[in-house]
Amino acid sequence: MGVAASALHHLPLIAQSPARKIGYCIIGLGRIADHHMRGIAESSTARVTGLVSGHRDKAERIAAQYGVSTSSIYSYENIERIRENKDIDAVIVCLPNSMHAEYTIRSAKSGKHVLCEKPMAISVAECEQMISACKLANVKLMIAYRLHYEPITLKTIKLIRDGAIGKVEAIDSANGFNIAPNEWRSTRALGGGGPLMDVGIYSLNATRYLTGEDPIAFTAVATTPDQDSRFQGVEENLAWTMKFPSGAVASCITTYGASMPGYYKVFGSKGWLEVDEFGYQGLHLTANYRSDRNTPPTRIDEKNPEPDPKQFARQIDHFSRCILENRTPDTPGEEGLKDMQHIQSIYKAAGLTLG
Amino acid sequence: MGVAASALHHLPLIAQSPARKIGYCIIGLGRIADHHMRGIAESSTARVTGLVSGHRDKAERIAAQYGVSTSSIYSYENIERIRENKDIDAVIVCLPNSMHAEYTIRSAKSGKHVLCEKPMAISVAECEQMISACKLANVKLMIAYRLHYEPITLKTIKLIRDGAIGKVEAIDSANGFNIAPNEWRSTRALGGGGPLMDVGIYSLNATRYLTGEDPIAFTAVATTPDQDSRFQGVEENLAWTMKFPSGAVASCITTYGASMPGYYKVFGSKGWLEVDEFGYQGLHLTANYRSDRNTPPTRIDEKNPEPDPKQFARQIDHFSRCILENRTPDTPGEEGLKDMQHIQSIYKAAGLTLG
């Protein structure tokens, strides 16, 4: 029970006093942590109450910025001391992929709820261990699939579920970028894989929330034509296909070697829709569909005007409410595990291995 | 030598008198024939001088429209009589795919040059027979890959060859549509395959003219979720990947079951470019690239304003000039054969068979 019960205990108090916010300890203070902290600053349910970093100076600077007590700054060695910090309800794991499992499990064992960045970990086994550890500790585990909380994405999913574009037959998606040298993400040791793990996962996850199905067959091809120091044991380019139980098919592509702004397009028996951008803002939905050949088409052209870090604020509000109301997050550990199982299948189809 | 020599013989005359045009006999009077004939009417080098149809009434109506003598109307049975018609220099094969080989070969044996619609035929063997027959008869064979003569496509290819977007790493393309009932194209007997043969071939061919390479590895998945009468032994949806010698990868998708406006996107080390539309008009190029990280990006947003049937006029002008100047077309039979070989590989990867 532990923290979950304790959070429930606070529920009436919260309802009366919205000023009481869930306290989050940020583990790892890189770029993504910055987005989370700015999102927390904009949220109505969260506050930053702890920091874990290997760089004390940096941590103190950020602590001052977010009003965190210097006594709530931890190192990777003494992270278990967050257990005694009553201001910390949960952690956000913002570390390189290869460290997600360890710090999720150590945080859970320290009695804290966990919001973990995607990809959940670097192997299926790690994901399973994370889920088990959080269950055992009776803490919540959510994976930071921020688009599940983003209005254009939710509208797109609803359009499809409502049958607007008819039966989904095909999905096409791409997401990639030209990675700079010396990024942990393009090393096998820290990234656990290449662009599929890092950004291709958006396409994979999108096909799943768009169809409401899990893929059942995979084909893939991977190449690393640029034999430069950026690609240490990871693929540079990867194209793959998936088949879904309904008979829908998907073609996806990702890269670390080229400019590739993200998008997905969904092709249905009654029309199509498209969302440009998997990024932190500016998701843009266009659609064109009609109920039958004699009906004039419905057209949609709609952009989410909310600037970054609103996605992170929405995401953290969801997790805070799940903690406060003892609900399972919409993107629990099981959601991250499924993507990891599919990533494993895609890598296998490409002749690569995961983990 | 026959017709080629005869055409060469006319060359000085043509140069003096542009009014002398290459005479084309249209074989099959369906929708695509209409585009060809309208293109011929707009061209400066071609005229319609013969028609082959199973419907005499329809042929006479069209003959009147294009100023074709009724004595130059043929049936499928007596098509060999075009040999004696000196006004017919060449034919355009506008028949269902399964008839391309027979009528290309019969026309070649009748001493006429051949412009054949895509896909070239329904098997690799047929393509090889067509090439042999045209070589033996010393007539030219061109496959109607009209986009090879379309300005936006040519500009796109030049941009890539000039290195504007750097090294091509990945290509994504889609092309499909929701087919109506009772179309010959969705029957195995006449179409020879499904949407890959009919419209997916545009994506396949695009990856080849964009990279200047032939793919060397293929993966694919095909489904036919809608068990309705439209799909007689052909796939409904097909997603596939390709790998190129340079290490570039491609992901493509096609369908007969959904609205899927065509496009391709090319992702390079210095930027990307995209062309929307494989259709008869309105090809739209957008691009964003820069020579290095410190240079401001170059942006392109350019649409081909030429309305249909200008693509067909450009295409027929190319073939006429090849005949007049005894040159090999930019899209000879060998180009169609290569696509057919790749289609065979894609179908094989999907567990399907061609031919």
Side-chain angles (χ1 to χ4, degrees):
Chain A
M1 299 297 286
V3 173
S6 142
L8 266 180
H9 170 72
H10 288 305
L11 194 52
L13 184 63
I14 300 282
Q16 289 159 26
S17 158
R20 161 71 174 105
K21 295 176 171 180
I22 297 295
Y24 288 92
C25 177
I26 313 300
I27 307 181
L29 300 179
R31 275 178 300 194
I32 192 70
D34 186 55
H35 286 278
H36 280 289
M37 290 186 287
R38 293 197 293 118
I40 287 171
E42 281 198 10
S43 87
S44 56
T45 64
R47 59 183 181 133
V48 182
T49 54
L51 302 172
V52 178
S53 174
H55 301 90
R56 181 82 195 183
D57 288 358
K58 186 179 185 181
E60 286 185 358
R61 202 168 58 240
I62 291 169
Q65 194 180 341
Y66 286 93
V68 178
S69 157
T70 52
S71 65
S72 296
I73 296 175
Y74 303 88
S75 70
Y76 293 111
E77 291 70 33
N78 69 9
I79 186 175
E80 277 76 8
R81 286 181 43 214
I82 62 174
R83 172 186 291 281
E84 294 102 55
N85 191 330
K86 298 301 177 200
D87 285 337
I88 296 174
D89 300 293
V91 303
I92 308 181
V93 178
C94 301
L95 297 164
N97 307 341
S98 64
M99 301 164 78
H100 287 185
E102 176 185 348
Y103 286 89
T104 291
I105 293 167
R106 287 173 71 181
S107 299
K109 286 183 175 171
S110 304
K112 307 301 181 184
H113 303 291
V114 179
L115 173 59
C116 179
E117 261 302 326
K118 42 59 52 188
M120 184 170 172
I122 61 169
S123 75
V124 169
E126 280 188 349
C127 294
E128 289 168 342
Q129 289 157 15
M130 292 159 79
I131 292 170
S132 296
C134 290
K135 278 200 179 136
L136 197 65
N138 200 24
V139 298
K140 297 194 183 297
L141 173 58
M142 171 166 148
I143 310 305
Y145 287 110
R146 58 188 159 73
L147 294 178
H148 287 242
Y149 311 100
E150 189 278 331
I152 285 286
T153 307
L154 293 170
K155 175 168 184 165
T156 300
I157 295 169
K158 185 170 186 325
L159 276 172
I160 294 173
R161 294 293 182 282
D162 289 349
I165 64 165
K167 188 171 175 209
V168 172
E169 299 286 354
I171 299 175
D172 184 30
S173 182
N175 199 30
F177 67 102
N178 201 342
I179 203 164
N182 306 316
E183 287 233 20
W184 65 257
R185 294 187 287 181
S186 62
T187 66
R188 177 81 180 218
L190 293 172
L196 174 60
M197 292 283 279
D198 185 33
V199 285
I201 192 173
Y202 284 98
S203 295
L204 167 61
N205 195 252
T207 63
R208 296 177 52 239
Y209 57 69
L210 294 168
T211 59
E213 299 181 279
D214 275 289
I216 50 173
F218 307 83
T219 81
V221 60
T223 63
T224 308
D226 296 308
Q227 295 298 333
D228 63 46
S229 61
R230 291 180 298 168
F231 309 109
Q232 297 177 25
V234 305
E235 78 279 6
E236 181 178 2
N237 305 317
L238 194 146
W240 79 97
T241 76
M242 295 182 286
K243 175 182 170 179
F244 293 82
S246 62
V249 298
S251 67
C252 301
I253 201 156
T254 185
T255 187
Y256 267 163
S259 169
M260 185 186 274
Y263 57 86
Y264 58 76
K265 297 171 188 260
V266 188
F267 306 101
S269 56
K270 294 182 177 177
W272 55 264
L273 63 77
E274 169 178 354
V275 173
D276 281 336
E277 197 54 72
F278 287 113
Y280 300 144
Q281 60 188 17
L283 271 76
H284 180 200
L285 166 67
T286 49
N288 190 319
Y289 54 87
R290 53 185 179 178
S291 50
D292 60 65
R293 282 169 193 265
N294 303 316
T295 313
T298 299
R299 294 175 203 275
I300 298 176
D301 187 334
E302 191 179 331
K303 202 166 184 169
N304 181 342
E306 300 169 346
D308 179 42
K310 185 66 180 177
Q311 287 185 16
F312 290 85
R314 288 183 175 277
Q315 175 173 258
I316 206 70
D317 276 344
H318 178 80
F319 194 42
S320 296
R321 285 193 202 100
C322 287
I323 294 170
L324 292 167
E325 299 163 14
N326 194 25
R327 289 194 288 122
T328 301
D330 288 353
T331 53
E334 287 77 4
E335 176 75 5
L337 168 63
K338 279 184 185 168
D339 273 352
M340 198 59 53
Q341 288 166 331
H342 301 319
I343 286 174
Q344 181 172 262
S345 298
I346 295 165
Y347 275 139
K348 187 178 174 193
L352 304 173
T353 53
L354 175 71
Chain B
M1 297 300 286
V3 173
S6 144
L8 266 179
H9 170 73
H10 288 305
L11 193 52
L13 184 65
I14 301 282
Q16 288 159 28
S17 160
R20 163 69 174 105
K21 295 175 172 180
I22 296 295
Y24 288 92
C25 177
I26 313 300
I27 308 181
L29 300 179
R31 275 177 300 193
I32 192 70
D34 186 54
H35 286 279
H36 280 289
M37 290 186 285
R38 292 197 293 118
I40 286 171
E42 281 198 11
S43 86
S44 56
T45 64
R47 59 186 181 131
V48 182
T49 54
L51 301 172
V52 178
S53 174
H55 301 89
R56 181 82 196 184
D57 288 359
K58 186 179 185 182
E60 287 185 359
R61 203 169 59 242
I62 292 169
Q65 194 180 342
Y66 285 94
V68 178
S69 157
T70 52
S71 64
S72 296
I73 296 174
Y74 303 89
S75 70
Y76 293 110
E77 291 70 34
N78 69 10
I79 186 175
E80 278 76 9
R81 286 182 43 213
I82 61 174
R83 171 184 290 282
E84 293 103 58
N85 191 330
K86 297 301 176 198
D87 285 337
I88 295 175
D89 300 293
V91 303
I92 307 182
V93 178
C94 300
L95 298 164
N97 307 341
S98 64
M99 301 164 77
H100 287 186
E102 177 186 347
Y103 286 88
T104 292
I105 293 168
R106 287 174 70 182
S107 300
K109 287 184 174 170
S110 305
K112 306 301 181 184
H113 303 290
V114 179
L115 173 59
C116 180
E117 261 302 327
K118 42 58 53 186
M120 184 170 171
I122 62 168
S123 74
V124 168
E126 280 188 349
C127 294
E128 290 167 342
Q129 289 157 15
M130 292 159 77
I131 292 170
S132 296
C134 291
K135 278 199 178 138
L136 196 65
N138 199 24
V139 297
K140 297 194 183 298
L141 173 57
M142 171 166 148
I143 309 305
Y145 287 109
R146 57 187 159 73
L147 294 178
H148 287 242
Y149 310 100
E150 189 278 331
I152 284 286
T153 306
L154 293 170
K155 176 169 184 164
T156 301
I157 295 169
K158 184 170 186 325
L159 277 171
I160 293 174
R161 294 292 181 284
D162 289 349
I165 64 165
K167 188 170 175 209
V168 172
E169 300 286 352
I171 300 175
D172 184 31
S173 183
N175 198 31
F177 67 103
N178 201 342
I179 203 164
N182 305 316
E183 287 232 20
W184 64 258
R185 294 187 286 183
S186 62
T187 67
R188 177 80 181 219
L190 293 172
L196 174 60
M197 291 283 279
D198 185 33
V199 284
I201 192 173
Y202 284 97
S203 294
L204 167 61
N205 194 252
T207 63
R208 296 178 51 238
Y209 57 69
L210 294 168
T211 59
E213 299 181 280
D214 274 290
I216 51 173
F218 307 83
T219 81
V221 60
T223 63
T224 308
D226 295 309
Q227 295 297 332
D228 63 45
S229 62
R230 291 180 299 168
F231 308 108
Q232 297 176 28
V234 305
E235 78 278 5
E236 180 177 4
N237 305 317
L238 194 145
W240 79 97
T241 76
M242 295 182 286
K243 176 182 169 179
F244 293 83
S246 63
V249 298
S251 67
C252 301
I253 201 157
T254 185
T255 187
Y256 267 163
S259 170
M260 184 186 274
Y263 56 86
Y264 59 76
K265 297 171 187 259
V266 188
F267 306 101
S269 56
K270 294 182 177 177
W272 55 265
L273 63 77
E274 169 178 355
V275 173
D276 281 337
E277 195 55 71
F278 287 113
Y280 300 144
Q281 59 188 20
L283 270 76
H284 180 201
L285 165 66
T286 49
N288 190 318
Y289 55 85
R290 53 184 179 179
S291 50
D292 61 66
R293 282 169 193 265
N294 303 317
T295 312
T298 300
R299 294 176 204 274
I300 298 176
D301 188 333
E302 191 179 330
K303 203 167 185 170
N304 181 343
E306 300 169 346
D308 178 43
K310 185 68 179 176
Q311 287 185 14
F312 290 85
R314 288 183 175 277
Q315 175 174 256
I316 206 70
D317 276 345
H318 177 80
F319 195 44
S320 296
R321 286 193 201 99
C322 288
I323 293 170
L324 291 168
E325 300 163 13
N326 194 25
R327 289 195 289 124
T328 301
D330 288 353
T331 53
E334 288 76 4
E335 176 75 4
L337 168 63
K338 280 184 185 167
D339 273 352
M340 198 59 51
Q341 288 166 333
H342 302 319
I343 286 173
Q344 181 172 264
S345 298
I346 295 164
Y347 275 138
K348 187 178 174 192
L352 305 173
T353 53
L354 176 71

